């Protein structure tokens, strides 16, 4: 494997998009951190012989010697230095490529705590990892910093290797947070667009059902009429709700279109399961048997059932029931004039024969 493939993943980030914002009023400390991050030596990270207890002094000169092998040199990060929190916050807002903020706690103009609060409150900077630097040791100070929303807390003086290791971790976590945020945003936008299209499609289907010359209803797999909240007129729903108050049952608005009631003359405030009461007395037994055969033993590919009958009002209707994956879709239509003519002829012939 090549040297690049053996490097830790942080060095495979796009360097132009990996900007470390260093914030401290101490120019010497800013310079030290800047050199550590922007001109780090891989040997400093991985070779035990080069593990020096670097504090706030500059890097040892031998680590900067140009005679070192090129694969030990890596311009790791772009570094931007600011002397107070206000300057850093303004820079972070204007430069989305800022990947991490390393800030001192005690600074003039705007402290590290105030900088952290400002970053977290602004939508463009809320996900940037923040590492606090402080001379205050102890678990209490570390816990307080983490409770404020900081991602890490490093006590001065510190080793360069520790700083680099922590920056590595938080750059990766920050990158993953941004990537997750991007994917969530894209998925949310896609879901909103999909919901919009489905709503438009539902409105189109509802319009078609409203203007259709065919009466439409829906049943579950057992032949019970399916309930939908926007199927009947509001007055019908209110009447159904009043009935439910008396019977302690929830209201059952049902999925039908207006044409169904025009053809069947079914009362709008009567449950559709009581449709037999609308059928002509001479046809009730036959319709009951045909209905039972049509809805018995449901399966998605069940053959279509069709039969004709009369309503009490005297008008004829043709009923068709089709199965689908959630139950049945039924329709009723007024028979064609040709059907009525043939029916009249059959009646006349029967009368003559009798």
């Amino acid at each position: 494997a090549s040297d690049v493939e053996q490097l830790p993943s942080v060095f495979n980030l796009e360097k132009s998009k990996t900007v470390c914002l260093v914030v401290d009023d101490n120019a010497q400390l800013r310079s030290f951190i800047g050199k550590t991050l922007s001109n780090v030596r891989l040997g400093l990270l991985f070779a035990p012989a080069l593990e020096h207890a670097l504090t706030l002094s500059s890097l040892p000169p031998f680590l900067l010697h140009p005679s070192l092998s090129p694969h030990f040199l890596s311009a790791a990060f772009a570094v931007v230095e600011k002397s107070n929190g206000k300057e850093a916050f303004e820079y972070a807002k204007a430069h989305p490529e800022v990947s991490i903020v390393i800030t001192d706690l005690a600074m003039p103009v705007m402290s590290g705590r105030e900088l952290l609060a400002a970053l977290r409150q602004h939508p463009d900077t809320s996900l940037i990892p923040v590492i606090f630097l402080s001379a205050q040791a102890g678990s209490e100070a570390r816990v307080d910093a983490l409770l404020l929303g900081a991602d890490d807390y490093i006590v001065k003086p510190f080793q360069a290797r520790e700083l680099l290791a922590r920056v590595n971790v938080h750059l990766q976590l920050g990158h993953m947070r941004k990537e997750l945020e991007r994917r969530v945003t894209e998925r949310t936008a896609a879901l909103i667009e999909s919901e919009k299209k489905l709503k438009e499609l539902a409105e189109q289907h509802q319009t078609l059902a409203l203007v259709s010359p065919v009466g439409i209803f829906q049943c579950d797999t057992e032949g019970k009429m399916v309930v939908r909240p926007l199927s009947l007129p509001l007055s019908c729903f209110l009447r159904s709700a009043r009935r439910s108050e008396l019977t302690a049952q929830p209201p059952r608005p049902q999925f039908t279109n207006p044409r169904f009631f025009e053809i069947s003359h079914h009362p709008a405030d009567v449950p559709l399961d009581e449709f037999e009461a609308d059928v002509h007395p001479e046809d009730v037994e036959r319709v009951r048997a045909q209905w039972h055969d049509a809805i018995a033993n449901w399966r998605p590919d069940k053959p279509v059932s069709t039969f004709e009958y009369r309503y009490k009002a005297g008008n004829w209707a043709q009923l068709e029931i089709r199965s689908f994956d959630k139950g049945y879709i039924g329709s009723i239509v007024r028979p064609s004039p040709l059907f009525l003519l043939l029916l009249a002829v059959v009646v006349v012939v029967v009368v003559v024969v009798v």
Side-chain angles (χ1 to χ4, degrees), residues 27-306:
Q28 185 180 10
L29 178 58
R30 290 201 310 271
S31 176
F32 166 72
I33 296 175
K35 289 179 180 179
T36 302
L37 296 176
S38 62
N39 202 23
V40 63
R41 269 60 182 163
L42 300 186
L44 180 63
L45 283 175
F46 303 113
L50 296 179
E51 184 176 344
H52 284 288
L54 299 176
T55 58
L56 301 186
S57 61
S58 299
L59 290 174
F62 76 89
L63 289 178
L64 301 175
H65 199 280
S67 63
L68 287 177
S69 177
H71 70 272
F72 279 101
L73 304 176
S74 173
F77 314 117
V79 177
V80 175
E81 300 178 14
K82 297 296 178 182
S83 61
N84 61 70
K86 183 177 180 181
E87 293 179 1
F89 180 56
E90 295 300 327
Y91 184 89
K93 288 193 299 182
H95 297 81
E97 66 273 13
V98 172
S99 305
I100 193 168
V101 174
I102 304 166
T103 179
D104 190 20
L105 276 175
M107 294 181 295
V109 185
M110 179 185 283
S111 68
R113 290 182 176 85
E114 294 170 331
L115 171 60
L116 174 63
L119 291 171
R120 292 293 182 255
Q121 292 173 5
H122 197 281
D124 295 336
T125 61
S126 61
L127 297 179
I128 298 177
V130 176
I131 297 179
F132 276 166
L133 303 178
S134 176
Q136 186 177 1
S139 60
E140 184 176 352
R142 186 183 305 275
V143 170
D144 288 342
L146 296 177
L147 290 176
L148 287 174
D151 295 271
D152 209 340
Y153 185 93
I154 300 178
V155 178
K156 304 175 186 176
F158 52 85
Q159 292 184 344
R161 293 184 72 236
E162 178 186 5
L163 175 64
L164 289 169
R166 293 180 184 241
V167 168
N168 181 358
V169 169
H170 291 295
L171 277 173
Q172 296 301 317
L173 292 176
H175 177 73
M176 288 188 288
R177 279 199 296 265
K178 288 183 178 180
E179 178 64 16
L180 179 60
E181 181 75 10
R182 183 188 66 80
R183 294 187 182 186
V184 169
T185 301
E186 290 180 355
R187 181 61 59 87
T188 301
L191 290 175
I192 292 175
E193 182 64 22
S194 177
E195 183 179 2
K196 179 181 177 182
K197 291 181 179 179
L198 289 175
K199 184 178 180 181
E200 293 175 352
L201 183 60
E203 291 176 349
Q204 292 175 4
H205 288 173
Q206 184 177 18
T207 300
L208 290 174
L210 290 175
V211 302
S212 172
V214 177
I216 303 172
F217 61 92
Q218 182 178 341
C219 301
D220 60 21
T221 56
E222 297 179 355
K224 300 294 184 181
M225 298 293 183
V226 173
V227 297
R228 295 284 180 88
L230 298 178
S231 303
L232 299 183
L234 178 60
S235 58
C236 170
F237 181 80
L238 293 176
R239 286 194 294 271
S240 178
R242 295 192 193 102
R243 172 187 292 188
S244 299
E245 291 175 1
L246 298 176
T247 61
Q249 296 292 330
R252 298 186 67 220
Q254 294 142 334
F255 178 62
T256 56
N257 66 341
R259 187 68 66 182
F260 175 88
F261 296 96
E262 294 178 12
I263 296 176
S264 66
H265 302 282
H266 186 84
D269 58 346
V270 176
L272 291 179
D273 291 330
E274 301 176 16
F275 72 94
E276 287 185 8
D278 308 325
V279 180
H280 194 282
E282 296 179 1
D283 293 345
V284 169
E285 292 298 329
R286 176 175 58 84
V287 170
R288 182 182 296 123
Q290 290 175 319
W291 174 265
H292 180 270
D293 292 340
I295 65 172
N297 303 319
W298 169 88
R299 63 179 189 274
D301 58 346
K302 189 173 182 177
V304 177
S305 298
T306 304

